Amino acid sequence: MHFRGILKLYLLFFFVACFENKSKVEYSKPVTETISQQDHRKSEKYPAQYELPDSIHLTPIKNEFYRNQFGFLYEKTTAQREFNGELKDVEYFNGIISQEIDPNSFQQIGNSWFAKDHKNIYYSRPTSGGWQITKVEHADVNTFKIIDGNYKYAVDKNNFFNATEKIEGFIPLKTEQIKDKEGKVIKLKMKNKKLDLEP
């Protein structure tokens, strides 16, 4: 009798475990399909780029900036593409840019590769795929300025920057900016630390 009782309990646990596993499989399937469907819809709403003939799907905002019907931001730029073994410049609309850009206040800063709008600083540099615009994190838009004679070095009240990266270990108010004869800053110096700026 004791043996039959143990056997019944074993069979009961076995069927419960099988039922739970089946439920998990049946439940996870529609969730996976939903995520896949969401990714597909997202790629339709926010394609990485539009070709020039597709401009009918875009609304011009200001200068080279456009938005599609879902509000996704694009920049009209030029890329080099190969045609019959030759590289040619082709205009297209690039969506791989910071979506925080405010087109109405966006502007380049002097002759540098930096740009700004009313709230952020950006690093805007040419590539073979067109201009690439990346937000510079932790930059103060009100005090940000280009280091004399440079195009990819800058400083604000808190940090020095090399392109999009903070230069660690140098405090602006305690750092000497050493210039050459032409007035270009070529070196940062703070106490016994020095940093040569790349040309």
Side-chain angles (χ1 to χ4, degrees), residues 139-157:
D140 179 68
V141 69
N142 294 316
T143 60
F144 191 91
K145 62 180 182 179
I146 310 304
I147 293 178
D148 289 346
N150 289 270
Y151 66 93
K152 69 168 188 171
Y153 290 100
V155 62
D156 66 12
K157 65 179 182 179

Side-chain angles (χ1 to χ4, degrees), residues 3-18:
F3 175 77
R4 290 181 179 177
I6 293 175
L7 181 60
K8 287 180 179 179
L9 286 174
Y10 176 81
L11 291 173
L12 178 63
F13 283 125
F14 177 79
F15 286 121
V16 169
C18 290

Side-chain angles (χ1 to χ4, degrees), residues 29-116:
K29 186 176 181 181
V31 172
T32 303
E33 290 176 349
T34 301
I35 292 173
S36 177
Q37 291 168 355
Q38 288 176 350
D39 289 342
H40 180 66
R41 286 196 296 271
K42 184 176 180 180
S43 65
E44 288 182 338
K45 289 183 178 181
Y46 316 126
Q49 67 183 49
Y50 284 95
E51 299 303 326
L52 202 60
D54 297 325
S55 61
I56 58 173
H57 301 296
L58 300 172
T59 301
I61 306 300
K62 187 177 181 180
N63 298 328
E64 302 300 314
F65 292 106
Y66 295 73
R67 290 192 190 276
N68 70 4
Q69 60 179 316
F70 302 105
F72 201 72
L73 188 66
Y74 293 84
E75 180 199 22
K76 186 178 181 181
T77 187
T78 303
Q80 287 193 327
R81 295 181 182 175
E82 187 174 341
F83 293 95
N84 299 322
E86 295 184 7
L87 288 177
K88 294 185 178 181
D89 289 338
V90 177
E91 286 187 313
Y92 77 108
F93 300 93
N94 177 28
I96 308 177
I97 59 175
S98 173
Q99 293 298 306
E100 296 184 53
I101 295 171
D102 172 35
N104 292 309
S105 60
F106 185 88
Q107 59 181 310
Q108 289 294 132
I109 303 177
N111 295 321
S112 74
W113 283 356
F114 289 98
K116 67 177 182 177

